[in-house]
Amino acid sequence: MNEKVSEKVNWPVTILLLLGLITIAFPLYMTIVIAFKQPSEMTNSISGLLSLPKHWSFSNFAEAMRVTDFWHSLLNSFLITAVTVVISIVLHSMIGYAVGRSKAHSKWYNFVYLYIVSGMFVPFAILMMPLVKQTAQMGIANIFGVILCYVVFYMPMNLLLYSGYLTNIPIALEEAARMDGATTWTTYWKVIFPIMKPMHATVAVITALSVWNDVMTPLVIMSGSGINTLPLAQMTFQTQFGTNYNLAFASYLLALLPILIFYIVCQKQILNGVVNGAVK
């Protein structure tokens, strides 16, 4: 006889997952509802805030795009994010390869690894004022300076991910390539770099999310330059007299779409990259 195995529900975990779902879904619901509402529909009551719009209109989105100069701000954000991601993948993967393969048998590389990774524990508030002064003196208080700062800021985390992922790649592959006459440079680009594709996707998404949503770095570096990213442009909805929530939330949804699409495209590689990079 086939006996049915009864599966017990892990209620503590299930409850935590439901709470997590509510925590994420509720703010998203509020953002969508308020973005489509007219200012006249906004009330102080809970039912008024939670209720669906009487008439679904895209007028808030059109006005938000006009106020924030959406296409120029989007182009600036896309340029900064794309260049930062490309440079991070190329540069940080090379550093991760050089340090990750050498730190096990070299005290110097081990020190370099620990020194760079320790940068994750330095708060941005400590670096903010020196960076503002330094970028101004060097004449890079612009998009280039912001990209340079991002490449340095995310190097510790990306080095940690790449060096961890390298432990899953057998050294025998590199030895076989050298036996065939390949140089270290050729071995890296022809053998190692393609194998690290899942980690490239993980680094790309983590870096892109951080850069796309960041406000402080472009605010303090490009202050007074007239160049806006999407997060900076959205600050126009907040004044000393209040906040236009309808336009602000419509603008938030517009800014969310590009990075959400990017995440969906890369999601198949992310889990594999994170899991393999965590294995030691």
Side-chain angles (χ1 to χ4, degrees):
M1 295 178 61
N2 295 327
E3 296 182 359
K4 293 184 178 179
V5 180
S6 60
E7 296 182 358
K8 295 183 178 179
V9 178
N10 192 333
W11 286 109
V13 175
T14 303
I15 293 174
L16 288 175
L17 289 175
L18 290 175
L19 290 176
L21 176 62
I22 295 172
T23 303
I24 296 173
F26 180 72
L28 182 60
Y29 168 80
M30 290 294 297
T31 301
I32 295 174
V33 168
I34 295 177
F36 281 94
K37 281 185 176 181
Q38 297 300 316
S40 58
E41 299 180 60
M42 298 292 292
T43 62
N44 294 327
S45 63
I46 300 298
S47 59
L49 291 174
L50 296 178
S51 61
L52 295 174
K54 296 179 181 178
H55 303 285
W56 295 80
S57 173
F58 288 92
S59 59
N60 289 332
F61 294 89
E63 181 65 15
M65 293 176 68
R66 185 190 66 81
V67 172
T68 60
D69 193 10
F70 178 78
W71 295 113
H72 286 92
S73 301
L74 177 66
L75 179 62
N76 292 332
S77 289
F78 177 79
L79 177 63
I80 293 174
T81 303
V83 174
T84 301
V85 168
V86 172
I87 295 177
S88 296
I89 290 176
V90 174
L91 183 61
H92 297 166
S93 63
M94 288 193 294
I95 297 174
Y97 174 65
V99 175
R101 281 299 193 228
S102 304
K103 67 184 179 71
H105 51 79
S106 172
K107 292 183 179 180
W108 165 249
Y109 279 101
N110 189 52
F111 170 77
V112 171
Y113 172 78
L114 294 175
Y115 178 78
I116 296 178
V117 171
S118 64
M120 291 190 298
F121 305 101
V122 181
F124 177 74
I126 297 177
L127 304 174
M128 184 168 60
M129 294 310 298
L131 280 175
V132 173
K133 186 174 181 63
Q134 188 174 8
T135 52
Q137 290 178 340
M138 296 174 63
I140 56 173
N142 47 34
I143 290 179
F144 174 77
V146 172
I147 294 174
L148 183 61
C149 289
Y150 282 141
V151 172
V152 176
F153 290 162
Y154 301 119
M155 185 185 297
M157 174 59 72
N158 293 343
L159 173 61
L160 181 68
L161 292 173
Y162 276 120
S163 60
Y165 190 82
L166 278 169
T167 59
N168 300 284
I169 302 177
I171 301 180
L173 293 175
E174 301 167 50
E175 295 174 346
R178 292 192 183 97
M179 290 293 292
D180 291 337
T183 62
T184 302
W185 186 259
T186 304
T187 300
Y188 172 72
W189 286 111
K190 298 294 185 180
V191 179
I192 302 301
F193 191 82
I195 294 177
M196 292 196 296
K197 182 180 177 181
M199 185 50 65
H200 295 327
T202 303
V203 168
V205 170
I206 294 176
T207 304
L209 284 172
S210 302
V211 173
W212 187 269
N213 295 318
D214 185 42
V215 176
M216 290 304 300
T217 304
L219 177 64
V220 299
I221 299 297
M222 299 191 301
S223 178
S225 65
I227 303 174
N228 279 336
T229 60
L230 279 177
L232 287 182
Q234 290 167 350
M235 295 179 66
T236 59
F237 300 116
Q238 300 178 4
T239 66
Q240 61 179 337
F241 302 106
T243 302
N244 190 330
Y245 291 104
N246 302 97
L247 296 185
F249 281 36
S251 179
Y252 298 157
L253 284 179
L254 289 172
L256 172 66
L257 290 178
I259 200 67
L260 180 61
I261 295 172
F262 177 70
Y263 175 80
I264 293 174
V265 171
C266 298
Q267 66 176 342
K268 293 182 179 180
Q269 301 290 339
I270 295 172
L271 183 59
N272 187 24
V274 172
V275 172
N276 290 336
V279 177
K280 298 294 182 181

